[in-house]
């Protein structure tokens, strides 16, 4: 029995390219085997819920193996884009890493500490301002779909008359005027009452010079809308990108004060984005939630939500076609 366990553990080590690290004694070898198997179990994507002063807020973590023995990754906080993690320290089921601040205040690095136990992770985060929060995490679902998709009937999420079917996430600044849904100034985000799983989404929108907005798919993945110059090198935080994750092939923007279109198809994690008639993201995987997500429950349907806290934005059409179950 002991011989079988040792062979299994050795194969796990070799899968990491770390067979040469085995010690001479049986005790040291067993410890190294157990530690490496646990480190391997940390690799993957994790949907995190953080307790921020009594409020549940979403985060996300991906851990990868770099080379034969170094763990690296990406982390998404409450705001901002996916942040690269240069090294995840690991020892006997406990792990830690640090990150520089992005949009936050404070002058110290974020420090994340966690423990992997019974297939789940939990721990603490100390912010750049020295505030400490606890969190828990579960493995993110694959969301792999099989078979052909059958589409239902299109739904006009905006009726051209009022805010029926929508609610503001705070004090409401959204108005409807001459058939156009408008946020005239920075204020609250707007969330649809209905929730959706897989869908096709069609948008017609307009923004003034220098403005910034976005549309969150299932309330978790931001499709960036902002005043990006069409001659700028594409980036995943500019027009047409899935914020912090997926970069459009080019910026097909018409510029400020022009009516523009976006067409999005989301099936599982796979997304296709067409801006102003040109496909700029073709069937690419969205790894996880983006900053500003409503929650981290990626396996559940979610609403469409429009960012209204970064600047003025207008919509005259928001049409969604859900997939039939």
């Amino acid at each position: 029995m002991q011989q079988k366990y040792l062979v299994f553990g050795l194969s796990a080590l070799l899968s990491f390219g770390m067979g040469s690290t085995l010690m001479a004694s049986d005790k040291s070898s067993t410890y190294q085997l157990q530690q490496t198997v646990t480190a391997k179990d940390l690799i993957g994507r994790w949907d995190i819920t953080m307790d921020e002063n009594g409020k549940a807020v979403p985060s996300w973590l991906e851990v990868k193996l770099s080379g034969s023995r170094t763990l690296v990754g990406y982390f998404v906080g409450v705001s901002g884009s996916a942040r690269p993690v240069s090294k995840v320290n690991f020892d006997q089921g406990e792990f830690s890493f640090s990150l520089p601040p992005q949009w936050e205040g404070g002058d110290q690095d974020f420090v994340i500490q966690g423990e992997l136990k019974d297939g789940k992770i939990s721990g603490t985060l100390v912010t750049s301002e020295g505030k400490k929060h606890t969190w828990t995490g579960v493995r993110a679902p694959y969301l792999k779909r099989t078979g052909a998709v059958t589409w239902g009937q299109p739904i006009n999420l905006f009726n051209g008359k009022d805010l029926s079917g929508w609610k503001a996430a705070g004090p409401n600044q959204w108005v409807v005027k001459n058939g156009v849904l408008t946020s005239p100034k920075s204020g609250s985000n707007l969330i649809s009452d209905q929730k959706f799983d897989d869908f096709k989404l069609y948008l017609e929108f307009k923004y003034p010079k220098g403005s910034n907005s976005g549309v969150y798919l299932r309330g978790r993945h931001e499709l960036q809308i902002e005043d990006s110059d069409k001659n700028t090198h594409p980036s995943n935080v500019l027009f047409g990108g899935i914020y912090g994750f997926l970069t459009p092939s080019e910026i097909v923007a018409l510029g400020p004060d022009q009516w523009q279109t976006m067409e999005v198809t989301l099936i599982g994690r796979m997304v296709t984005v067409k801006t102003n008639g040109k496909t700029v993201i073709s069937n690419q995987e969205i790894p996880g939630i983006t900053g500003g997500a409503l929650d981290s429950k990626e396996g559940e349907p979610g609403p469409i939500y429009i960012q209204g806290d970064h600047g003025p934005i207008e919509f005259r059409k928001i049409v969604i076609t859900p997939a039939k179950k």
Side-chain angles (χ1 to χ4, degrees):
M1 187 71 178
Q2 183 179 6
Q3 185 178 13
K4 287 184 178 180
Y5 173 77
L6 190 60
V7 170
F8 170 78
L10 181 59
S11 68
L13 265 180
L14 290 175
S15 71
F16 271 77
M18 295 177 65
S20 61
T21 64
L22 283 170
M23 304 298 182
S25 70
D26 289 341
K27 183 177 180 180
S28 297
S29 298
T30 301
Y31 168 76
Q32 183 68 40
L33 289 167
Q34 291 173 337
Q35 184 186 37
T36 305
V37 168
T38 306
K40 184 177 180 181
D41 289 340
L42 184 61
I43 291 173
R45 297 168 178 168
W46 301 87
D47 287 338
I48 291 172
T49 300
M50 193 168 305
D51 184 341
E52 191 176 86
N53 303 318
K55 179 182 178 182
V57 297
S59 291
W60 177 87
L61 172 66
E62 181 173 26
V63 178
K64 298 180 177 182
L65 183 66
S66 177
S68 62
R69 57 183 177 177
T70 303
L71 296 176
V72 299
Y74 282 91
F75 180 79
V76 174
V78 178
S79 62
S81 60
R83 311 173 194 214
V85 179
S86 61
K87 184 179 181 181
V88 178
N89 304 300
F90 182 87
D91 184 26
Q92 300 185 65
E94 297 183 349
F95 62 94
S96 65
F97 58 92
S98 60
L99 294 165
Q102 197 174 65
W103 301 103
E104 303 84 5
D107 56 4
Q108 63 188 46
D109 285 354
F110 283 78
V111 177
I112 294 90
Q113 295 179 310
E115 179 185 19
L116 171 61
K117 185 177 181 180
D118 298 328
K120 299 180 180 180
I121 58 176
S122 61
T124 61
L125 176 146
V126 178
T127 73
S128 56
E129 298 173 318
K131 299 176 182 178
K132 189 174 184 179
H133 306 302
T134 59
W135 55 264
T136 58
V138 297
R139 284 208 175 271
Y142 285 110
L143 302 183
K144 185 176 177 61
R145 308 298 196 229
T146 58
V149 177
T150 302
W151 299 105
Q153 293 298 312
I155 302 169
N156 286 304
L157 288 182
F158 170 50
N159 64 14
K161 299 176 183 179
D162 53 36
L163 293 175
S164 297
W166 298 86
K167 61 179 179 292
N172 179 48
Q173 82 284 358
W174 293 84
V175 296
V176 177
K177 187 176 180 180
N178 298 325
V180 177
L181 176 63
T182 302
S183 176
K185 61 181 181 180
S186 295
S188 296
N189 300 325
L190 198 63
I191 305 169
S192 70
D193 292 339
Q194 293 187 67
K195 296 183 178 182
F196 304 95
D197 197 356
D198 296 344
F199 56 80
K200 295 189 291 186
L201 180 67
Y202 175 79
L203 306 166
E204 292 186 9
F205 58 92
K206 181 170 65 173
Y207 50 76
K209 184 174 179 59
S211 196
N212 182 317
S213 182
V215 174
Y216 281 73
L217 314 175
R218 297 193 195 115
R220 303 182 187 107
H221 316 293
E222 183 188 3
L223 172 61
Q224 177 71 311
I225 296 175
E226 70 138 36
D227 185 18
S228 302
D229 191 301
K230 65 180 180 180
N231 296 315
T232 303
H233 193 279
S235 166
N236 56 33
V237 298
L238 297 180
F239 186 92
I242 301 298
Y243 197 82
F245 282 128
L246 302 182
T247 299
S249 57
E250 61 182 293
I251 296 178
V252 188
L254 302 181
D257 304 316
Q258 303 291 320
W259 284 110
Q260 306 188 58
T261 65
M262 282 188 176
E263 299 169 70
V264 185
T265 302
L266 181 63
I267 302 172
R269 291 189 180 277
M270 308 307 291
V271 66
T272 296
V273 178
K274 183 183 291 187
T275 62
N276 294 313
K278 187 164 188 177
T279 300
V280 294
I281 296 175
S282 180
N283 200 38
Q284 296 296 300
E285 182 189 40
I286 303 177
I289 68 169
T290 58
L294 294 176
D295 61 48
S296 58
K297 300 174 183 179
E298 293 190 272
E300 298 181 6
I304 301 300
Y305 107 66
I306 305 170
Q307 193 175 65
D309 60 0
H310 280 37
I313 185 73
E314 296 178 278
F315 289 86
R316 66 181 182 187
K317 277 193 178 182
I318 307 173
V319 180
I320 194 165
T321 304
K324 290 183 177 180
K325 294 183 179 181

